[in-house]
């Protein structure tokens, strides 16, 4: 069965993005390969399943304009957790900016936060 292994994620600076994902979200570096012409850096939630993010430096005007707007104004990424309270508390302490207070929906506990560039994410613990 096919699955999505990774998603390109446009950034202004790989090291800046690495700091955010590791320190504020608790992600791990899956790979960080530096070659003569490019750097390929992949991050993913620690011990998690699902797609990883390939941190891609924005090149050219069109890509630079898309950084932080990759979802066109809607939540684009869904960070699923098995312990909402623990992860929400960690993220708030690390400085992650949540747009709202946690809420309980039929599908689970959720709160929307912004990444370092303003892309919307759901932190969600499914019901």
């Amino acid at each position: 069965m096919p699955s999505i292994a990774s998603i390109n994620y446009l950034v202004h600076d790989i090291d800046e993005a690495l700091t955010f994902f590791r320190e504020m979200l608790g992600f791990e570096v899956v790979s960080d390969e530096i070659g003569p012409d490019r750097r390929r850096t992949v991050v993913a939630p620690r011990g998690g399943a699902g797609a990883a993010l390939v941190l891609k430096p924005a090149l050219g005007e069109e890509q630079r304009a898309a950084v932080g707007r990759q979802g066109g104004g809607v939540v684009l990424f869904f960070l699923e957790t098995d312990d909402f309270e623990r992860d929400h508390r960690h993220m708030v302490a690390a400085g992650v900016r949540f747009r709202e207070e946690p809420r309980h929906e039929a599908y689970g506990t959720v709160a929307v936060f912004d990444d370092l560039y303003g892309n919307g994410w759901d932190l969600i613990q499914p019901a």
Side-chain angles (χ1 to χ4, degrees):
M1 185 65 134
S3 65
I4 296 175
S6 57
I7 299 167
N8 281 333
Y9 177 87
L10 291 172
V11 301
H12 290 301
D13 181 85
I14 288 178
D15 291 318
E16 169 187 64
L18 273 175
T19 297
F20 174 82
F21 283 106
R22 286 190 313 206
E23 295 178 13
M24 299 181 92
L25 299 189
F27 280 32
E28 63 186 352
V29 177
V30 175
S31 64
D32 193 6
E33 302 163 3
I34 300 172
D37 296 333
R38 69 179 180 99
R39 179 177 179 186
R40 186 172 191 277
T41 306
V42 181
V43 297
R46 191 172 309 284
L53 298 177
V54 179
L55 305 180
K56 300 288 282 187
L59 303 174
E61 186 177 321
E62 182 179 5
Q63 288 182 11
R64 282 191 295 276
V67 173
R69 300 174 31 88
Q70 292 174 193
V74 300
V75 169
L76 180 62
F77 302 102
F78 298 84
L79 185 58
E80 198 169 284
T81 179
D82 62 352
D83 188 335
F84 184 92
E85 300 255 343
R86 174 199 65 213
D87 293 333
H88 182 262
R89 194 170 40 251
H90 165 79
M91 291 167 67
V92 167
V96 174
R97 187 180 74 77
F98 279 82
R99 296 181 188 176
E100 61 185 11
E101 292 297 315
R103 56 191 159 83
H104 303 284
E105 302 288 349
Y107 54 84
T109 303
V110 64
V112 178
F113 68 93
D114 289 326
D115 66 22
L116 74 163
Y117 299 119
N119 291 301
W121 290 64
D122 271 358
L123 175 63
I124 183 168
Q125 180 176 357

